[in-house]
Every structure is written in structure tokens, then in C-alpha cells.
Amino acid sequence: MILFILMLYGISCVSAGEFNDTSEDSVLWASDFDDNLEHDASECLDSLNDDSIVLSNDSATFSQLNSEISSCDHICLDRNYSFDSHTDKGSVIISHDILIDGNGHCIDGSNSVRCIYINTNLNVTLKNLKVINGYSTANGAGIRVADNVCLNLIDCVFKNNIVYNSNGGALSSANNCNITIYNSFFENNTSIRESNLTWNEFKKGMGSAIIA
């Protein structure tokens, strides 16, 4: 079962039709879980230690961010990161438990690749981070979450992320994930479906913002 706890601001930019799922009870709103929201988020945060790295104030590539996050479990960004086709092989990949504090900075897919991929069985918190201009032909152009992940999104922005013939422009999760979205903003995320798909492909093009 995939558990979502959502508290979204700027909700006018996200219509009800943008949240799609095959089960009625897999999307849970924060208003129904007021007593547990803070506890759920702090549980993930408490598992990360207090040591942090603060990055210098300039722009960088996805390859640089992958290198920087590989050696720490709490990082505070002080610059933007953009995909560079000359130096980067693909997305920012998270492969261990981590807290990333974006300090308002961007991870920018440059309309070329998915911004972030989170591997299985992890505990991840993204805070005050902008995830923009992701592009993918598979689910999740902003963030793709693999199985069994605890993910907290706090004060984040998802903007201008596009999936083509797939689902979940901003965010897509696989099985048995626990995702808390708090005080975050979704704008102009898109899921595009070709008009000539076969019946077996009909479910492509769902979840402009989120697919679970």
C-alpha cells in the first residue's frame, strides 16, 4: 500500500483530476492526519544525523551533485544544479538515507532528463527545494520513487515537469511507499499522451502532478 499525506499550498494550480490512482484509499490528506503529520515527518528526520555540508555559492551540474551527496546524509545546498548534456549521464540519483535542504535552490532537468531518482528501501527528506524542468518518457519527470521509500517533501516547489506517454509529471512512486507532502507547491506539471495509443496503452498520460 502507498500512503500519501498531503498538505499543499498553491492548490489552485493543481486540479483534482491531476491526482490519479487505482485505489481509493491510497491518497490521504493531511487534514485527516493532523495528529500524525508532525510525528511522521520527524520520524524520518530523526533517523538522519546532524552533520551537514554547506555548498559554495555558484552553479553546478548533476554529476557534481551526485558526487557531493554520495558522502553525506545531510546536505545544505547553496547553489542551483542543472543538467548538462556534455558532462551529465542522467538524473540526480539518491541511493542512501539523506536530508537535502535546498535553501530555495533548484534542481533543473533542462527539459532533457528526470530531475531525481530515489532508489529502493530509503528514508529521504527534501526541504525547501525547487524541482523544475524535468522530462521523461517513463513515470515521474520531477521525481521517481522506487519501492519501499519513506519520503518527506517540505516547502518544495515542482514546476514545468513533463512526462511523455507516461504518468506523473511532478512525482511518481512505486510500491509500499510512505510519502508526506507538506506546504509544497505544484505548478504547470504535464503528462502528455499521444492520440494514437492502443487500448493497452490507454492508461498512459495520467497524473499531471502525481501518480501513485
Side-chain angles (χ1 to χ4, degrees), residues 104-140:
H105 293 286
C106 299
I107 294 180
D108 183 347
S110 301
N111 299 307
S112 300
V113 297
R114 172 187 291 122
C115 294
I116 300 171
Y117 181 83
I118 301 175
N119 274 318
T120 58
N121 303 310
L122 296 182
N123 184 341
V124 175
T125 294
L126 305 179
K127 178 181 178 183
N128 197 17
L129 181 67
K130 297 174 183 176
V131 180
I132 65 172
N133 300 327
Y135 177 83
S136 179
T137 56
N139 289 357

Side-chain angles (χ1 to χ4, degrees), residues 161-163 166-169 189-193 204-208:
N161 299 291
I162 299 173
V163 288
S166 287
N167 306 313
N189 300 286
T190 307
S191 182
I192 298 173
R193 175 171 58 199
K204 294 180 179 180
M206 298 194 304
S208 297

Side-chain angles (χ1 to χ4, degrees), residues 6 15 19 34 46-48 56 68 76 83 108 112 141 148 178 180 183 193 208:
L6 306 177
S15 68
F19 293 87
D34 289 338
D46 289 344
S47 69
L48 305 171
S56 60
E68 289 155 356
C76 298
F83 175 78
D108 183 347
S112 300
N148 304 312
N178 187 338
T180 300
N183 195 30
R193 175 171 58 199
S208 297

Side-chain angles (χ1 to χ4, degrees), residues 36-77:
N36 295 324
L37 178 61
E38 184 175 349
H39 173 73
D40 289 342
S42 63
E43 214 173 52
C44 287
L45 290 168
D46 289 344
S47 69
L48 305 171
N49 66 34
D50 293 330
D51 296 331
S52 63
I53 296 174
V54 179
L55 302 179
S56 60
N57 189 16
D58 57 351
S59 60
T61 66
F62 279 17
S63 296
Q64 288 173 285
L65 182 55
N66 277 325
S67 176
E68 289 155 356
I69 65 176
S70 66
S71 60
C72 66
D73 58 13
H74 183 181
I75 191 166
C76 298
L77 307 186

Side-chain angles (χ1 to χ4, degrees), residues 143-176:
I143 299 177
R144 171 64 176 171
V145 182
D147 295 339
N148 304 312
V149 170
C150 172
L151 173 64
N152 290 302
L153 300 172
I154 304 170
D155 298 323
C156 291
V157 173
F158 291 80
K159 187 173 181 179
N160 298 337
N161 299 291
I162 299 173
V163 288
Y164 185 78
N165 273 348
S166 287
N167 306 313
L171 172 65
S172 173
S173 68
N175 300 314
N176 301 316

